[in-house]
């Protein structure tokens, strides 16, 4: 974005020697790393508007702005026109977090519901049996048979010490198969990964909160009308996600990762 500014010497009473009409061009490059609102945009416009008008130097010499300005003088001019804002963010537990000391079990309810999932960009989850990888793809022309159908099983919570569970525990199994979605780590230092893992029906009937099979559980939270997230029960703060790009594998990510989509539509 280019921004032209006409700068005049304050207090000028006439004469070319007392006025400075020099056109300055600022090349502004904005790198968006976080979501911004209209307040941040308004502040940017206000800063540029201030720089369009008279510059008043903070140094005692009040030297007219020109090519002879030192770096320190130019820095002072810019700092005099800055706007500051203090942002307070609420720090809270992950949505489905279970206390590490919690003891108890998750018991599966009868009659799982069958569904398909697509992300907030309307990319459907498809499955390649040969590679055992889920991918997010935009299906065109009403093609429905490529979508993965899941059996979504809900669980009752029976916890002794937990007080932070605020979501519905579920397990996601590919329909007509024995493959479930699971979230696990290769080592303690790596990030959790999402994978398709074979499990028996009886193995997931009752799941211990601190047991190894908790990797098959996800906390399902629906906000608004239909946007749903799936947070790992074993690794709170990690969510099932898709890439912004086409045909990328479905994976796990943290909520603040703006390169990923964590909201899904659950279609019965």
């Amino acid at each position: 974005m280019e921004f032209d500014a006409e700068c005049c010497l304050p207090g000028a009473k006439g004469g070319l020697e007392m006025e400075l009409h020099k056109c300055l061009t600022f090349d502004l490059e904005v790198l968006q790393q976080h979501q911004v609102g209209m307040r941040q945009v308004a502040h940017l416009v206000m800063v540029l508007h201030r720089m369009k008008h008279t510059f008043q130097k903070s140094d005692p010499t009040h030297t007219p702005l020109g090519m002879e300005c030192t770096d320190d003088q130019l820095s002072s001019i810019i700092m005099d026109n800055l706007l500051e804002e203090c942002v307070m963010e609420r720090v809270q537990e992950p949505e489905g977090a279970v206390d590490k000391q919690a003891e108890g079990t998750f018991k599966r309810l009868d009659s799982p519901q069958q569904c398909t999932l697509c992300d907030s960009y309307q990319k459907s989850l498809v499955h390649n049996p040969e590679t055992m990888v889920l991918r997010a793809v935009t299906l065109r022309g009403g093609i429905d048979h490529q979508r993965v159908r899941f059996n979504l099983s809900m669980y009752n919570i029976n916890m002794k010490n937990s007080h932070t569970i605020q979501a519905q525990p579920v397990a996601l199994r590919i329909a007509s198969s024995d493959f479930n979605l699971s979230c696990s780590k290769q080592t303690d230092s790596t990030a959790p990964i999402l994978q398709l893992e074979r499990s028996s029906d009886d193995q997931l009937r009752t799941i211990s909160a601190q047991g190894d099979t908790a990797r098959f559980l996800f906390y399902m939270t629906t906000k608004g009308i239909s946007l749903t997230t799936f947070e790992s029960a074993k690794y709170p703060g990690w969510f099932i996600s898709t890439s912004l790009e086409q045909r990328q594998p479905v994976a796990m990510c943290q909520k603040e990762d703006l390169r990923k989509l964590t909201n899904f539509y659950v279609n019965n």
Side-chain angles (χ1 to χ4, degrees), residues 36-50 83 85:
V36 297
M38 289 304 298
R39 176 179 295 180
Q40 286 78 9
V41 175
H43 280 189
L44 178 61
V45 173
M46 291 174 64
V47 169
L48 294 177
H49 185 70
R50 285 187 178 187
L83 288 175
E85 179 183 8

Side-chain angles (χ1 to χ4, degrees), residues 107-225:
K107 187 174 182 180
R108 188 177 62 199
L109 302 177
D110 294 332
S111 302
Q113 68 180 43
Q114 197 167 107
C115 66
T116 60
L117 300 178
C118 64
D119 63 23
S120 55
Y121 278 23
Q122 298 295 331
K123 298 196 302 295
S124 298
L125 301 193
V126 300
H127 171 225
N128 185 340
E130 296 181 359
T131 60
M132 297 304 297
V133 174
L134 290 177
R135 297 183 186 274
V137 179
T138 300
L139 299 179
R140 304 185 184 280
I143 301 176
D144 186 69
H145 67 275
Q146 296 184 18
R147 292 185 176 90
V148 177
R149 299 199 69 84
F150 294 95
N151 287 335
L152 188 150
S153 299
M154 298 186 181
Y155 286 74
N156 271 336
I157 305 172
N158 182 19
M159 293 292 168
K160 296 180 181 179
N161 305 329
S162 179
H163 55 81
T164 58
I165 298 178
Q166 302 173 2
Q168 172 65 54
V170 300
L172 290 163
R173 177 189 290 262
I174 293 182
S176 303
S177 79
D178 55 359
F179 286 97
N180 276 67
L181 286 181
S182 70
C183 178
S184 58
K185 286 185 176 182
Q186 301 296 331
T187 64
D188 291 340
S189 60
T190 60
I193 61 174
L194 183 72
Q195 58 187 356
L196 288 171
E197 186 176 348
R198 180 177 277 111
S199 61
S200 67
D201 190 63
D202 291 337
Q203 183 183 5
L204 303 183
R205 190 175 300 277
T206 301
I207 296 177
S208 171
Q210 298 302 315
D212 191 47
T213 52
R215 67 185 185 276
F216 293 102
L217 281 182
F218 299 89
Y219 289 107
M220 184 177 69
T221 304
T222 301
K223 296 182 178 180
I225 299 177

Side-chain angles (χ1 to χ4, degrees), residues 50-93:
R50 285 187 178 187
M51 298 180 73
K52 179 179 178 181
H53 294 288
T54 301
F55 285 105
Q56 178 65 48
K57 285 189 174 299
S58 58
D59 67 283
T61 62
H62 296 292
T63 305
L65 180 62
M67 297 303 295
E68 73 280 1
C69 282
T70 66
D71 290 342
D72 289 341
Q73 290 174 330
L74 185 58
S75 176
S76 296
I77 294 172
I78 295 175
M79 294 302 295
D80 286 344
N81 288 275
L82 285 181
L83 288 175
E84 296 183 2
E85 179 183 8
C86 180
V87 178
M88 305 293 292
E89 294 187 1
R90 182 183 299 275
V91 178
Q92 59 185 9
E93 291 288 331

Side-chain angles (χ1 to χ4, degrees), residues 239-258:
F239 294 80
I240 296 178
S241 67
T242 62
S243 172
L244 296 174
E245 301 177 358
Q246 290 283 343
R247 299 188 176 277
Q248 296 301 308
V250 183
M252 302 299 298
C253 81
Q254 293 181 302
K255 195 73 170 180
E256 59 270 17
D257 190 344
L258 299 181

Side-chain angles (χ1 to χ4, degrees), residues 5-39:
E6 183 179 79
C7 306
C8 298
L9 176 64
K13 297 182 180 180
L16 293 177
E17 69 279 6
M18 297 298 294
E19 295 185 356
L20 174 64
H21 295 282
K22 182 176 290 293
C23 183
L24 299 179
T25 298
F26 297 88
D27 293 325
L28 177 66
E29 182 180 2
V30 179
L31 301 178
Q32 181 176 342
Q33 297 180 346
H34 303 282
Q35 291 182 344
V36 297
M38 289 304 298
R39 176 179 295 180

